[in-house]
Amino acid sequence: MQPFVYNALPARVIFGWGTSSQVAQEVKKLGCSRALVLTTPQQVDAGEKVKADLGDLAVGIYSNATMHTPMHVTQEALSKAKELNVDCCVSVGGGSTIGLGKALALHSPDDAKIKNIVIPTTYAGSEATPIIGQTENDKEGKPLKTTQKTLKVLPEVIIYDIDLTLTLPAQMTVTSGLNAVAHAVEALWAVEANPIISNLAVQGIEAIGRSLPLIKADPKSRDGRSDALFGAWACGTCLGAVGMSLHHKLCHTLGGSFNMPHAETHTVILPHAVSYNAPYAQEAVSRVAKALGVDNAAQGLFDLAKNNGAPYSLKELGFKEEDLEKAADIAAKAPYPNPAPLEKEKLLKLLTNAFHGNRPE
């Protein structure tokens, strides 16, 4: 056994069927009494149900959570939280809503931190990480997404309710699941990799890999939905415990600077990032392939997306071919640690293959 360092993250996780009904008692356990429910505009109905479950503990709903956590949205939500004297928030939804809950925790005063209970409805995995990505304009007025890692944004409680995922649309299920898989894949080749997280990463990849075909065949498959949600937690925990590499750098570039959709972009980029790193991370990539039950990890991830109805090219997501070089330029700057050297021309080739939806070699 090789020497390693492992930092466990403090977390309370509740997993099962119908568990969101326990939200009021979780608010009380935190010593809180004034909860603000957070949602996107599309998930107000889910937020209203949680608000009803909270009863007198709920003081309102903020329903403008937005992809990539723009700072102007965070400031608006903070103003509402201050106006309502909020002491905790309940984030109901996927990465956009969870990101806003993290932002409220980050930007609230240390002596009056807004605590965060998360009820995920997708497989994004952000709820299990102390990582936040925020978007604001740079000096030239162009959007730029930056990330930071701090325990201040780690939610106090995660309530996984499998019932809430049964209506997640099939395509969103696949893209959200593969977004989660990306966390586990990068954990296997991270600088901070350790045997505890690596074993959890393999479990997460296996769980989501077997769940997606089950859900495609039957969107309400109990085995498929429970495996997918467990896999999301496992993969998110991996991302929270170790660092990010090329894949996340590319996705943060495409999302923050070009407003590309989050989960779909992760789905498209992941096979190509694995192919790029494969010669320099052979053991990690071999474990991904084994977890998926395939010979070639990059091709297996590509096929998992394509065969289950997910997008597999940047072109179909609306990315402009003329922006490929600019994206490669941005990704090559301030790079994350990565097994393979980051060279602009090779990054441009990776992005070009992803743009056209070429199956990795």
Side-chain angles (χ1 to χ4, degrees):
M1 177 64 68
Q2 296 292 320
F4 67 90
V5 174
Y6 168 58
N7 291 312
L9 295 174
R12 176 171 168 81
V13 177
I14 300 164
F15 186 99
W17 299 84
T19 50
S20 59
S21 62
Q22 301 174 33
V23 64
Q25 64 192 68
E26 293 302 320
V27 168
K28 291 176 182 176
K29 282 180 181 178
L30 289 176
C32 297
S33 60
R34 299 187 63 80
L36 178 65
V37 178
L38 305 178
T39 75
T40 61
Q42 295 77 27
Q43 292 188 299
V44 173
D45 288 347
E48 289 287 355
K49 182 184 181 304
V50 169
K51 183 173 180 284
D53 288 336
L54 285 166
D56 292 343
L57 296 172
V59 295
I61 289 185
Y62 179 82
S63 59
N64 195 33
T66 304
M67 188 170 60
H68 306 306
T69 321
M71 278 301 300
H72 71 273
V73 172
T74 297
Q75 294 299 331
E76 183 179 83
L78 280 168
S79 294
K80 180 158 188 175
K82 185 176 181 180
E83 173 192 331
L84 296 172
N85 195 27
V86 165
D87 56 13
C88 73
C89 61
V90 179
S91 305
V92 185
S96 298
T97 307
I98 294 165
L100 179 58
K102 288 180 169 184
L104 294 186
L106 179 65
H107 296 289
S108 57
D110 288 340
D111 60 350
K113 177 180 176 275
I114 297 175
K115 296 178 181 178
N116 191 8
I117 295 175
V118 177
I119 305 177
T121 59
T122 71
Y123 309 123
S126 173
E127 67 278 357
T129 78
I131 299 166
I132 181 170
Q134 301 177 103
T135 305
E136 55 188 324
N137 291 339
D138 62 15
K139 294 178 181 178
E140 298 176 359
K142 297 176 182 177
L144 181 67
K145 187 171 185 177
T146 58
T147 62
Q148 62 176 295
K149 192 171 186 176
T150 168
L151 285 176
K152 190 175 181 183
V153 305
L154 187 70
E156 279 72 19
V157 182
I158 309 169
I159 301 177
Y160 287 110
D161 187 341
I162 304 163
D163 284 327
L164 297 183
T165 66
L166 294 178
T167 56
L168 190 65
Q171 181 174 317
M172 191 180 296
T173 293
V174 182
T175 56
S176 183
L178 284 166
N179 177 21
V181 167
H183 307 332
V185 169
E186 292 225 303
L188 288 169
W189 62 48
V191 174
E192 308 92 337
N194 63 76
I196 299 167
I197 290 300
S198 293
N199 287 335
L200 189 59
V202 169
Q203 272 191 288
I205 296 168
E206 289 174 343
I208 292 177
R210 66 175 174 260
S211 75
L212 296 184
L214 292 175
I215 294 169
K216 182 186 179 186
D218 175 12
K220 295 187 183 296
S221 165
R222 289 175 69 89
D223 287 341
R225 290 296 183 181
S226 58
D227 274 350
L229 199 56
F230 168 78
W233 169 77
C235 295
T237 300
C238 292
L239 178 65
V242 298
M244 295 177 287
S245 302
L246 169 65
H247 169 81
H248 281 85
K249 176 64 177 182
L250 289 171
C251 292
H252 291 161
T253 296
L254 295 171
S257 297
F258 300 93
N259 202 35
M260 297 295 288
H262 185 82
E264 292 86 344
T265 300
H266 277 269
T267 298
V268 171
I269 292 296
L270 181 58
H272 302 283
V274 170
S275 179
Y276 187 101
N277 277 332
Y280 297 85
Q282 293 181 11
E283 182 181 350
V285 172
S286 175
R287 295 188 75 175
V288 175
K290 186 176 180 181
L292 293 172
V294 298
D295 294 327
N296 183 297
Q299 292 177 355
L301 290 164
F302 181 90
D303 294 342
L304 190 61
K306 185 176 180 180
N307 294 343
N308 286 284
Y312 55 92
S313 73
L314 293 177
K315 184 177 182 178
E316 65 188 298
L317 298 181
F319 192 78
K320 298 176 182 178
E321 189 168 11
E322 58 265 30
D323 285 334
L324 286 169
E325 186 155 359
K326 181 182 176 184
D329 273 332
I330 296 171
K333 295 175 182 175
Y336 300 168
N338 191 66
L342 299 188
E343 302 172 22
K344 184 197 165 183
E345 290 306 314
K346 290 183 178 179
L347 291 176
L348 180 57
K349 182 179 178 182
L350 182 163
L351 289 168
T352 301
N353 283 328
F355 176 80
H356 292 291
N358 298 329
R359 189 171 186 255
E361 297 178 357

